[in-house]
Amino acid sequence: MKIESVFNPLKTWVEESTANWNMLIGIGFVMLLIGLALTFVFLLKMGKADERTIQIQLKNTLIMLFGVILCDIIFPKEYMWQIFFLFKYSFAFIASGIYLAFRYKKDFLN
């Protein structure tokens, strides 16, 4: 079973109407905005770069890179690649925002 066959129901649902297509794009942009907001808010809350925050930022960047690579492996490249491109970066920013939220809670609130 190819991994692309998992996304065939999504492809058929999106091709049924333009409203479905617009809903998928809207969900992707909302997820991207949430991920960007999480990431930048917690980066700003951590403050100026020093020995501790630089390590956190580097690990944050590594998590984003792993998210992008994992999504590149999973998402199909034959169809709807623009939508999956949007979701790829949405997931990467959300993962980095969640990591920063946990690190901020652990390191800065105690």
Side-chain angles (χ1 to χ4, degrees), residues 11-75:
K11 178 184 174 189
T12 56
W13 176 76
V14 165
E15 290 175 346
E16 285 177 7
S17 74
T18 56
N20 294 348
W21 184 259
N22 291 335
M23 187 184 315
L24 191 64
I25 291 173
I27 290 170
F29 274 119
V30 167
M31 287 175 49
L32 182 65
L33 290 175
I34 290 171
L36 283 169
L38 273 173
T39 302
F40 289 120
V41 164
F42 283 108
L43 282 174
L44 289 176
K45 279 187 168 188
M46 280 193 280
K48 290 190 338 186
D50 59 6
E51 303 85 33
R52 182 175 56 168
T53 58
I54 288 176
Q55 294 299 320
I56 293 171
Q57 291 170 359
L58 287 174
K59 191 159 184 183
N60 177 45
T61 307
L62 183 67
I63 288 172
M64 288 178 68
L65 177 66
F66 284 156
V68 168
I69 291 171
L70 182 67
C71 288
D72 271 341
I73 292 170
I74 293 173
F75 289 151

